[in-house]
């Protein structure tokens, strides 16, 4: 057979498929994807530098706006970093409230992904369903925090608002409903023969590759790596309650979807236990006041819906930090696309690229933003990767 | 007669093109939220268009940064005129807390004419629906179609 001509399909920077601006260059031979070039940098806003000009009380608001979907994960890691540097213990009630808000965010973020994945596959019903159920979670967040996203709940030393007694019955009601709907969605996804065919064995990330690319979050947990900051380095209320870490071994898109859906159910479990514990704690004790800026370094980690968020802060005793550093989960996960997408068909590329739940807003803090996109791999590397993959599958040459 | 028809056609069913010009994703997700069952803007005939060449309404979110600015201008140039441009969220309107950022290219209305400002961080979906309604009113009032 004559060799097929190599063609490049540009996806982006503005593409109807994607929410955010990013640029993928898919190289194809006929239907088969043989190369992927990722160019980022359309979302760079300079958060770290802005943080250095804000006081410790203001920084949670800045890092909250790194990403609208993980808008609790970043402040979560941020306040932990500041508390670590300042050596503050937060009151237990604040820890439970933080956990509740964090898990509410996880539910809505995972449902959002499930909906978008359905949309990419042509199952618009799944999109509409998942987003309809997500809406009730957003509403309860609005009731508790005052906003649908960007909750502004966290401050160094505690939380800004208390969860009052009157908020608990509607919260439990929403959890009950969400449980039912997520179970229904999970069953619908797991029983659908077309989805099995479409997602099983697609975009496989082997455990070795997962380690190689240092992927985190559901992407890693779907490839058999049991990594979860909530278990490995427990903070807030995570080690005071019972919950399970979901780990699957297939590594394909189907496993990634399953991990996310099952995690939603774990999240409702966590929130229920936290609410139960809140009842025994006196209302109003939510803030251990931070008197002055920390002098020294601190780190904070949190398991965002997409993986581990890492914040580092260095203070010099003044009101402002002298250095602020952020690492978001997608910066590792996106690169794993390079192996996941190779060798598949163009039709599978969209769902594979989306399977890591990439969040470019989170990621783009690299300094080389103005070089018009950095080439992550040369063409030869990609060809090599592609051939390796073919060889792994028992074909090639 | 033709003018009337054109006007009716344009204002009846707006096709939206959405540009994420370095946002935090939140406005974008809320825009998608508009299309889902709770808010369902399709009842007004609004549809997300896949290409700027099919669009009547341009929604721009985020603080426009230096890298994305060139692309935003190009997308704007591709939209058939007359069109309506809406700046969604505080970032697109003023830069919000990114005013101090070294990568900020200035508020959106410095670069392209903006017709509707939808404030908020993020604007509530209700506010976005109101903004889009204002955009439709504005199109109806246009004399020189």
């Amino acid at each position: 057979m004559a060799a097929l001509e190599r063609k490049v399909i540009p996806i982006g920077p503005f593409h109807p498929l994607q929410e955010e601006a990013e640029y993928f260059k898919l190289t194809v031979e006929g239907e088969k994807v043989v190369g992927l070039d990722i160019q980022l940098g359309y979302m760079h806003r300079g958060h770290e530098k802005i943080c250095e000009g804000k006081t410790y009380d203001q920084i949670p608001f800045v890092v909250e706006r790194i990403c609208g979907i993980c808008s609790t994960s970043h402040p979560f890691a941020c306040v932990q970093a500041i508390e670590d540097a300042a050596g503050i213990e937060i009151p237990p009630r604040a820890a439970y409230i933080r956990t509740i808000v964090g898990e509410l965010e996880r539910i809505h973020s995972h449902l959002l992904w499930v909906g978008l994945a359905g949309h990419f596959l042509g199952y618009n019903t799944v999109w509409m369903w998942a987003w309809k159920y997500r809406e009730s979670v957003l509403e309860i967040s609005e009731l508790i925090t005052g906003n649908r996203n960007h909750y502004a709940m966290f401050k160094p030393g505690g939380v800004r608002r208390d969860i009052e007694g009157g908020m608990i019955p509607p919260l439990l009601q929403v959890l009950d409903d969400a449980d039912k709907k997520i179970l229904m969605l999970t069953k619908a996804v797991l029983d659908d023969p077309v989805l099995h065919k479409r997602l099983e064995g697609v975009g496989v990330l082997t455990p070795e590759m997962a380690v190689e690319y240092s992927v985190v979050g559901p992407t890693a947990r779907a490839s058999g790596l049991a990594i979860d900051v909530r278990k490995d380095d427990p903070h807030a209320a995570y080690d005071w309650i019972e919950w399970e870490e979901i780990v699957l071994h297939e590594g394909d898109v189907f496993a990634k979807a399953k991990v996310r859906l099952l995690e939603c159910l774990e999240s409702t479990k966590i929130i229920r236990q936290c609410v139960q514990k809140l009842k025994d704690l006196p209302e109003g004790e939510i803030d251990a006041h931070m008197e002055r800026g920390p002098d020294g370094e601190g780190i904070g980690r949190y398991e965002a819906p997409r993986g581990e968020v890492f914040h580092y802060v260095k203070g010099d005793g003044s009101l402002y930090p002298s250095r602020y550093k952020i690492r978001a989960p997608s910066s590792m996960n996106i690169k794993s696309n390079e192996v996941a997408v190779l060798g598949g068909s163009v039709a599978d590329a969209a769902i594979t690229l989306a399977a890591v739940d990439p969040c470019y807003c989170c990621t783009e803090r690299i300094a080389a933003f103005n070089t018009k996109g950095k080439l992550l791999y040369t063409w030869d590397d990609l060809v090599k990767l592609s051939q390796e993959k073919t060889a792994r599958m028992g074909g090639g040459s | 007669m033709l003018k009337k028809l054109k006007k009716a056609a344009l204002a009846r069913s707006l096709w939206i093109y959405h540009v994420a010009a370095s946002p935090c994703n939140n406005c974008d997700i809320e825009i998608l939220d508009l299309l889902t069952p709770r808010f369902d803007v399709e009842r007004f005939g609004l549809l997300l268009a896949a290409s700027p060449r099919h669009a009547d309404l341009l929604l721009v979110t985020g603080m426009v940064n230096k890298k994305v600015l060139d692309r935003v201008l190009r997308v704007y140039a591709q939209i058939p005129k007359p069109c309506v441009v809406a700046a969604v969220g505080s970032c697109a309107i003023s830069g919000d807390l990114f005013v101090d950022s070294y990568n900020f290219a200035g508020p959106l209305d410095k670069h392209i004419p903006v017709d509707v400002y939808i404030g908020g961080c993020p604007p509530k979906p209700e506010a976005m629906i109101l903004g889009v309604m204002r955009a439709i009113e504005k199109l109806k009032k246009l004399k020189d179609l």
Side-chain angles (χ1 to χ4, degrees), chain B residues 107-121:
Chain B
L108 182 68
D109 52 8
K110 208 177 109 190
H111 307 294
I112 55 176
V114 176
D115 304 283
V116 183
Y117 297 85
I118 306 171
C121 184

Side-chain angles (χ1 to χ4, degrees), chain A residues 91-314:
Chain A
R93 194 175 172 89
Y96 283 117
I97 293 175
R98 281 185 185 181
T99 313
I100 290 174
V101 178
E103 292 306 313
L104 277 175
E105 180 197 75
R106 191 178 317 275
I107 298 175
H108 97 66
S109 174
H110 282 344
L111 281 179
L112 181 149
W113 180 85
V114 169
L116 284 183
H119 173 57
F120 292 153
L121 292 170
Y123 272 68
N124 274 336
T125 321
V126 175
W127 179 28
M128 293 297 165
W129 274 3
W131 282 55
K132 191 168 91 183
Y133 306 143
R134 180 178 164 265
E135 217 35 64
S136 58
V137 180
L138 290 183
E139 260 173 16
I140 201 71
S141 305
E142 188 174 3
L143 179 74
I144 291 175
T145 68
N147 203 356
R148 288 162 56 88
N149 319 77
H150 289 336
Y151 308 123
M153 273 296 261
F154 290 28
K155 63 180 287 189
V159 288
R160 279 177 208 281
R161 292 175 208 88
D162 202 354
I163 295 184
E164 287 151 18
M167 295 170 178
I168 289 176
L171 173 61
L172 290 176
Q173 181 63 42
V174 164
L175 289 183
D176 287 342
D177 290 349
D179 257 354
K180 267 183 230 147
K181 302 290 164 49
I182 295 164
L183 260 180
M184 190 266 282
L185 258 182
T186 315
K187 277 187 194 145
V189 169
L190 296 186
D191 286 349
D192 193 320
V194 180
L195 280 184
H196 270 276
K197 273 228 165 97
R198 192 71 174 67
L199 299 180
E200 267 179 5
V202 169
V204 178
L205 192 68
T206 57
E208 297 81 47
M209 274 300 153
V211 173
E212 195 104 315
Y213 277 84
S214 318
V215 294
V216 287
T219 314
R221 289 197 286 279
S223 292
L225 307 183
I227 308 174
D228 194 322
V229 179
R230 295 174 293 168
K231 272 268 188 256
D232 304 338
D233 181 14
H235 45 74
Y238 285 110
D239 49 347
W240 304 336
I241 45 185
E242 300 281 317
W243 62 281
E244 270 168 48
E245 190 178 351
I246 312 282
V247 181
L248 296 176
H249 297 275
E250 291 85 0
D252 52 8
V253 181
F254 194 77
K256 284 169 193 158
K258 213 166 143 190
V259 164
R260 292 202 172 93
L261 281 166
L262 295 177
E263 271 185 10
C264 286
L265 296 174
E266 283 303 312
S267 295
T268 57
K269 218 165 97 186
I270 295 174
I271 299 174
R272 272 207 198 86
Q273 294 179 43
C274 287
V275 168
Q276 203 56 41
K277 297 264 172 67
L278 270 188
K279 284 180 187 159
D280 309 332
L281 294 165
E283 270 187 34
E285 283 179 18
I286 51 167
D287 193 2
H289 294 278
M290 192 172 86
E291 302 295 338
R292 50 193 289 275
D295 189 2
E297 296 172 306
I299 60 164
R301 300 159 81 195
Y302 179 67
E303 184 74 17
R306 284 156 194 76
E308 179 190 336
V309 172
F310 177 91
H311 282 231
Y312 163 87
V313 66
K314 186 179 177 190

Side-chain angles (χ1 to χ4, degrees), chain A residues 68-109:
Chain A
I69 314 171
C70 333
S71 63
T72 291
S73 310
H74 284 285
F76 209 132
C78 161
V79 291
Q80 281 188 35
I82 297 172
E83 284 154 10
D84 182 28
I88 302 176
E89 281 283 323
I90 60 166
R93 194 175 172 89
Y96 283 117
I97 293 175
R98 281 185 185 181
T99 313
I100 290 174
V101 178
E103 292 306 313
L104 277 175
E105 180 197 75
R106 191 178 317 275
I107 298 175
H108 97 66
S109 174

Side-chain angles (χ1 to χ4, degrees), chain A residues 19 45 68 139 142 148, chain B residues 24 28 33 38 101 103 124:
Chain A
E19 260 314 286
R45 281 158 291 161
E139 260 173 16
E142 188 174 3
R148 288 162 56 88
Chain B
C24 74
D28 313 79
D33 229 8
R38 176 68 62 92
S101 170
N103 207 16
K124 290 196 74 164

Side-chain angles (χ1 to χ4, degrees), chain A residues 14 19-20 40-45 47 65 67-68 131 134-135 139 142 148-150 361 369 373, chain B residues 17 19-20 22-26 28-30 32-33 36 38 63 65 67 71 98 101-103 121 124:
Chain A
F14 295 111
E19 260 314 286
E20 304 158 80
L40 303 174
Y42 294 95
M43 298 284 178
H44 183 82
R45 281 158 291 161
H47 273 100
R65 276 152 185 82
C67 174
W131 282 55
R134 180 178 164 265
E135 217 35 64
E139 260 173 16
E142 188 174 3
R148 288 162 56 88
N149 319 77
H150 289 336
C361 302
F369 66 94
Chain B
Y17 190 76
V19 168
S22 187
C24 74
N25 238 350
N26 213 336
D28 313 79
I29 295 295
E30 295 289 65
L32 267 192
D33 229 8
T36 55
R38 176 68 62 92
M63 59 95 87
N65 74 15
K67 179 164 180 174
R71 277 79 174 178
F98 300 106
S101 170
Y102 48 81
N103 207 16
C121 184
K124 290 196 74 164

